[in-house]
């Protein structure tokens, strides 16, 4: 139906053109059919179409559309612009359609050529077994693909090593954090235990100083070796019983007892030597006193070494001992000697005063008795 209408329209246009007288210049015959301008003049070649659209060959589809849109705004009869011209617009529209058809055909032909080339290469590619190896990595000849595959394996191995090291470091970090938390808990527990032991020891020493243990019912009596205690493990109780029966004592208790006995003996010897010298101090007595002080210093040094041995084996930190200072011990002995001499002198003065007062009382009583007799 559409083709028949177009044929009739062409015939009518030809008849009208035959009735119109010829002029010097050609007149463009155009008309509007369904809002589309048709003309009997078409661009001669694709170059003329590009020239009408102000484009160059090789442009993109977007450039063609944009150029057509701009020219339509200038030359369309309904645009209202000063350059509106229906004949020029008809030529532009025809050129636009010619260019579009040319570009679509060109694109289809290029796609077909590419497909043909791919089919051509596929048909000529040798299907050998080595192209199915190397895990599908690489391209080129078998030797090139082998080198590329070896490099691929090296890269993959290095990545796996780095990933393994990363996971190992993460595990070590987690383990170190866990060990650190465990050490912190153990240190807190040890501190709490030591604090409790020190507190209990301080309370015991304070009670002993106050004399709370003086009036105990079992004071001075031996302990019941075979008494059952519910707070002691039976195995530990039996071991302790065996040790007590055989007279066993821990090493640190023996060393502590030895240190205490040694310092008491040294102090008594120094007091005895100082009291023996007496007052006043002559040069010969001072020389003897210096010799005794030097001997005392050597003994204190040996005793301090023994204290070091004791501190290494004592199980409780609060029971450790400090070193003795020889100078302080000597000055303490001298002060105690001076205070003792002072007390002795005071006692002697009091005794003499008492004797003199007693003799004067006897004399007074005798004179009173004589006076009574004479009276």
């Amino acid at each position: 139906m559409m083709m028949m209408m177009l044929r009739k329209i062409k015939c009518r246009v030809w008849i009208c053109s035959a009735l119109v007288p010829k002029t010097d210049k050609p007149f463009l015959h155009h008309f509007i059919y369904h809002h589309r301008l048709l003309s009997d003049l078409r661009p001669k070649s694709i170059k003329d179409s590009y020239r009408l659209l102000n484009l160059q060959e090789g442009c993109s589809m977007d450039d063609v559309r944009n150029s057509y849109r701009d020219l339509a705004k200038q030359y369309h009869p309904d645009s209202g612009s000063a350059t509106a011209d229906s004949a020029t617009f008809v030529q532009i529209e025809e050129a636009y359609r010619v260019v579009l058809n040319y570009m679509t055909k060109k694109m289809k032909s290029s796609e077909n050529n590419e497909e043909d080339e791919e089919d051509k290469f596929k048909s000529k590619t040798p299907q050998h077994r080595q192209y199915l190896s190397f895990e599908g990595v690489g391209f080129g000849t078998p030797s090139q693909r082998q080198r590329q595959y070896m490099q691929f394996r090296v890269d993959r191995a290095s990545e796996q090593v780095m990933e393994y090291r990363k996971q190992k470091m993460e595990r070590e970090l987690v383990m170190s954090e866990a060990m650190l938390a465990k050490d912190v808990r153990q240190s807190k527990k040890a501190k709490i235990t030591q604090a409790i032991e020190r507190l209990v020891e301080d309370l015991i020493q304070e009670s002993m100083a106050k004399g709370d243990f003086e009036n105990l019912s079992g004071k001075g009596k031996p302990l019941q070796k075979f008494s059952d205690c519910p707070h002691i493990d039976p195995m530990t109780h039996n071991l302790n019983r065996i040790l007590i029966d055989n007279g066993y004592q821990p090493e640190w208790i023996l060393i502590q007892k030895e240190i205490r006995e040694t310092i008491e003996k040294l102090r008594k010897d120094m007091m005895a030597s100082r009291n023996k010298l007496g007052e006043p101090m002559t040069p010969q007595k001072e020389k003897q006193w210096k010799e005794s002080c030097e001997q005392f210093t050597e003994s204190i040094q040996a005793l301090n070494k023994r204290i070091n041995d004791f501190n290494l084996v004592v199980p409780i930190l609060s029971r450790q001992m400090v070193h003795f200072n020889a100078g302080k011990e000597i000055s303490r002995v001298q002060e105690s000697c001076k205070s003792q001499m002072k007390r002795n002198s005071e006692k002697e003065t009091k005794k003499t005063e008492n004797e003199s007062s007693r003799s004067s009382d006897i004399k007074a009583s005798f004179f009173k008795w004589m006076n009574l007799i004479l009276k």
Side-chain angles (χ1 to χ4, degrees), residues 164-320:
Y164 172 75
R165 289 179 179 175
K166 181 180 177 182
Q167 293 177 0
K168 185 178 179 181
M169 291 177 67
E170 289 178 354
R171 289 194 298 269
E172 290 178 354
L173 180 61
V174 172
M175 291 178 65
S176 63
E177 290 178 355
M179 292 295 292
L180 180 61
K182 185 177 180 181
D183 293 340
V184 170
R185 289 195 298 269
Q186 290 180 354
S187 62
K188 288 183 179 179
K189 185 177 180 180
K191 287 181 180 179
I192 293 171
T193 304
Q194 292 178 1
I196 293 172
E197 290 178 353
R198 290 180 182 179
L199 178 61
V200 171
E201 186 67 24
D202 293 339
L203 292 174
I204 291 172
Q205 295 293 334
E206 185 178 357
S207 299
M208 290 175 65
K210 290 179 180 179
D212 295 338
F213 298 141
E214 296 294 333
N215 298 323
L216 296 177
S217 59
K219 181 181 178 181
K221 298 179 181 180
L223 296 174
Q224 296 180 3
K225 294 186 290 184
F226 304 105
S227 59
D228 295 329
C229 182
H231 305 289
I232 299 176
D233 184 57
M235 182 63 69
T236 305
H237 176 72
N238 294 330
L239 291 174
N240 291 333
R241 184 180 66 185
I242 293 169
L243 294 173
I244 291 170
D245 291 340
N246 291 275
Y248 172 78
Q249 288 183 350
E251 182 182 3
W252 65 275
I253 292 177
L254 297 175
I255 297 173
Q256 186 181 26
K257 184 178 180 182
E258 179 186 352
I259 291 169
R260 289 177 179 175
E261 291 177 353
T262 304
I263 191 64
E264 290 295 332
K265 184 176 180 300
L266 291 174
R267 287 172 180 171
K268 289 179 180 179
D269 293 341
M270 285 294 291
M271 286 289 294
S273 61
R274 183 65 184 86
N275 291 328
K276 185 177 180 180
L277 294 174
E279 290 290 343
M281 293 288 288
T282 60
Q284 187 177 1
K285 291 181 179 181
E286 289 181 358
K287 186 176 179 181
Q288 294 177 0
W289 174 245
K290 287 181 180 180
E291 291 177 356
S292 59
C293 289
E294 291 176 358
Q295 187 177 0
F296 179 76
T297 305
E298 293 176 358
S299 301
I300 289 294
Q301 291 177 357
L303 185 62
N304 289 333
K305 291 181 181 180
R306 195 60 177 164
I307 289 172
N308 292 333
D309 298 336
F310 169 77
N311 291 334
L312 291 174
V313 297
V314 65
I316 303 173
L317 184 64
S318 60
R319 300 303 297 269
Q320 290 185 351

Side-chain angles (χ1 to χ4, degrees), residues 118-140:
E118 289 180 359
D119 295 337
K120 184 178 179 181
F121 286 122
K122 286 180 181 178
S123 61
K124 290 184 178 181
T125 303
Q127 299 295 325
H128 298 295
R129 292 185 62 84
Q130 62 263 25
Y131 286 93
L132 302 176
S133 60
F134 306 123
E135 300 181 10
V137 177
F139 58 91

